[in-house]
């Protein structure tokens, strides 16, 4: 099982890097994943109604990169759909992210963008350089919207108050004074036709790639000859957590099949921003895959601390976490044979588009050197 590159992880970061290295530079890649399946957290499985249901939370693909869209489109067709979600707070559903329709529901009457902007101007709390998520939202939208949509959800999602989270945690979510109610700004929004599982099957189907499932890449480092390690797993795992455990946030899910015609939720995803409800989201994949009638599946999601029976999913966007991350990055950089790629390895919240971009960039950096005679 000789290889030029040992890739730790068969999610987007590892699979894209391996494909580019094998196809673009003729390198032999062994892709190892501790899970019994490829695709990482993007795994989806058809439910009883034939709809791909995510096992590990929703993955709504969105991108503004022609390079990324073109690359992935080689391995899947797409069902394009504008992702429109809702929030549930104070006993009712709200358009979310915050937009003109949200303001009109709050005001109880029709309004205009100019009137909403004027209201926001009176609600905003002055802060020249917001450093926390609390400061960011208060400076952009005021306390009423902060408490309605952000504070409780962030406390559930991260196990921390927004005052202790980076501004980016809530800053990723747009606040609009128009009627644009899409969750993402990117022009291309879609789900893979047939789901992510067949996309990964095709992505990893190359004679230069060998996939080994149910295997720990840390153990294979000692038995599989290789010249480069592309690491996509948790950053602290790479170094056996010798500097201590990085703060991570985990999720768990429960899927429920529901019979009958029509959809069960008022939107494909509902964010539950009230702390009175313990879960954070519910989502219904049938809505984005265009299936209606004969039954549907609704998945409920809870955020929690890492532990047995849950999946580690997110780096924590906070100053203490960044400080420890930087120490780990410095330690990892001492081994020039290791390349870090992806959300877990770089300890950074990255959308799928950014993960694919970084995997392609990493492959194009190391590929020419490894392929040189």
């Amino acid at each position: 099982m000789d290889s030029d590159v040992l890739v730790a992880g068969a999610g987007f970061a590892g699979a894209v890097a391996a494909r580019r290295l094998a196809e673009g530079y003729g390198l032999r890649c062994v892709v190892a994943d501790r899970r019994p399946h490829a695709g990482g957290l993007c795994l989806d499985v058809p439910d009883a109604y034939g709809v791909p249901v995510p096992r590990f939370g929703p993955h709504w693909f969105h991108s503004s990169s022609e390079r990324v869209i073109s690359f992935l489109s080689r391995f899947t067709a797409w069902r394009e759909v504008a992702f429109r979600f809702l929030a549930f707070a104070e006993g009712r559903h709200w358009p979310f992210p915050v937009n003109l329709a949200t303001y009109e529901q709050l005001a109880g009457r029709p309004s205009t963008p100019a009137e909403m902007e004027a209201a926001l101007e009176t609600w905003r709390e002055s802060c020249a350089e917001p450093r926390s998520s609390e400061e960011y939202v208060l400076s952009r939208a005021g306390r009423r919207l902060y408490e309605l949509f952000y504070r409780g959800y962030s406390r559930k999602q991260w196990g921390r108050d927004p005052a202790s989270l980076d501004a980016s945690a809530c800053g990723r979510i747009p606040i609009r004074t128009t009627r644009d109610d899409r969750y993402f700004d990117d022009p291309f929004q879609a789900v893979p036709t047939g789901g992510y599982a067949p996309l990964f099957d095709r992505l990893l189907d190359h004679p230069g790639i060998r996939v080994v499932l149910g295997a720990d890449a840390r153990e294979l480092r000692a038995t599989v000859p290789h010249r480069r390690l592309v690491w996509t797993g948790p950053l602290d795992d790479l170094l056996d957590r010798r500097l201590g455990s990085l703060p991570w946030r985990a999720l768990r899910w429960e899927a429920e099949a529901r019979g009958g015609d029509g959809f069960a939720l008022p939107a494909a995803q509902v964010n539950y921003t009230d702390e009175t409800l313990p879960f954070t989201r519910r989502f219904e994949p049938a809505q984005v895959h265009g299936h209606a009638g004969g039954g549907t599946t609704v998945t409920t999601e809870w955020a929690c601390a890492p532990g047995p029976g849950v999946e580690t999913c997110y780096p924590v966007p906070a100053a203490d976490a960044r400080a420890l991350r930087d120490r780990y990055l410095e330690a990892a950089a001492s081994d020039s044979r290791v390349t870090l790629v992806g959300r877990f390895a770089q300890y950074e919240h990255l959308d799928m588009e950014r993960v694919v971009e970084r995997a392609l960039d990493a492959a194009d950096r190391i590929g020419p050197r490894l392929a040189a005679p």
Side-chain angles (χ1 to χ4, degrees):
M1 197 164 53
D2 288 1
S3 68
D4 297 300
V5 183
L6 175 60
V7 181
F12 263 124
V16 169
R19 181 71 185 217
R20 179 66 178 147
L21 289 168
E23 186 174 60
Y25 301 98
L27 298 171
R28 299 166 300 166
C29 299
V30 170
V31 179
D33 200 296
R34 61 177 176 81
R35 298 184 176 90
H37 60 81
L41 295 178
C42 286
L43 178 71
D44 46 23
V45 178
D47 64 8
Y49 318 109
V51 177
V53 174
R55 287 278 305 277
F56 306 111
H59 289 79
W60 315 123
F61 184 79
H62 53 99
S63 179
S64 58
S65 168
E66 288 298 329
R67 178 192 185 199
V68 170
I69 297 167
S70 176
F71 178 82
L72 292 181
S73 295
R74 296 173 50 204
F75 309 104
T76 186
W78 300 95
R79 174 179 170 80
E80 293 192 47
V81 55
F83 298 122
R84 292 183 168 89
F85 307 145
L86 296 172
F88 185 83
E90 297 183 347
R92 54 179 173 162
H93 291 97
W94 301 78
F96 192 79
V98 171
N99 61 76
L100 182 58
T102 317
Y103 174 74
E104 289 177 328
Q105 185 168 319
L106 191 64
R109 54 179 171 74
S111 188
T112 65
E115 185 178 349
M116 179 180 176
E117 177 57 39
L120 289 176
E121 187 59 35
T122 65
W123 297 347
R124 290 172 180 141
E125 299 184 12
S126 178
C127 182
E129 296 183 12
R131 298 189 177 184
S132 71
S133 278
E134 179 179 76
E135 290 176 343
Y136 177 85
V137 177
L138 291 178
S139 68
R140 291 284 308 283
R143 190 161 297 275
R144 175 71 173 110
L145 293 176
Y146 167 71
E147 293 181 348
L148 186 62
F149 297 122
Y150 296 90
R151 187 182 182 199
Y153 188 89
S154 295
R155 288 162 63 101
K156 289 192 294 183
Q157 176 72 11
W158 300 109
R160 301 188 181 199
D161 194 88
S164 67
L165 296 171
D166 292 346
S168 62
C170 291
R172 300 175 72 251
I173 306 169
I175 297 172
R176 307 187 183 105
T177 57
T178 66
R179 295 196 185 279
D180 183 357
D181 60 351
R182 299 171 303 151
Y183 200 83
F184 307 108
D185 291 326
D186 296 300
F188 185 81
Q189 304 182 23
V191 290
T193 301
Y196 284 97
L199 184 161
F200 277 94
D201 288 342
R202 300 182 191 110
L203 185 57
L204 290 165
D205 183 13
H206 188 278
I209 298 174
R210 179 172 179 179
V211 180
V212 183
L213 300 176
D216 191 327
R218 289 175 297 179
E219 297 175 2
L220 292 182
R221 290 181 73 178
T223 59
V224 176
H226 61 281
R227 294 186 288 148
R228 172 73 63 157
L229 172 66
V230 173
W231 181 266
T232 74
L235 175 60
D236 46 355
D237 280 357
L238 173 65
L239 299 174
D240 299 318
R241 304 192 181 186
R242 69 184 186 217
L243 301 177
S245 295
L246 281 163
W248 297 95
R249 201 64 176 154
L251 300 173
R252 66 180 181 89
W253 303 269
E254 289 183 7
E256 178 188 0
R258 301 187 183 184
D261 293 329
F263 297 130
L265 298 179
Q269 177 177 303
V270 179
N271 291 0
Y272 293 84
T273 63
D274 225 322
E275 283 188 275
T276 58
L277 296 172
F279 43 86
T280 51
R281 298 190 292 186
R282 283 190 170 130
F283 51 94
E284 187 174 13
Q287 294 199 34
V288 296
H289 284 280
H291 173 88
T296 187
T297 298
V298 173
T299 299
T300 303
E301 179 178 285
W302 288 260
C304 55
V310 297
E311 284 287 338
T312 299
C313 293
Y314 296 115
V316 175
D320 61 310
R322 286 199 316 278
L324 183 54
R325 175 204 63 187
D326 290 346
R327 292 177 61 203
Y328 267 113
L329 290 175
E330 183 179 1
S334 65
D335 189 342
S336 60
R337 298 166 300 174
V338 176
T339 298
L340 305 176
V341 184
R343 173 186 291 189
F344 292 104
Q346 297 177 289
Y347 199 79
E348 184 178 350
H349 191 109
L350 300 170
D351 292 328
M352 287 180 283
E353 173 194 48
R354 300 292 176 234
V355 172
V356 174
E357 279 185 331
R358 292 196 181 186
L360 291 172
D361 288 343
D364 287 340
R365 282 196 309 272
I366 65 177
R369 295 197 297 270
L370 295 173

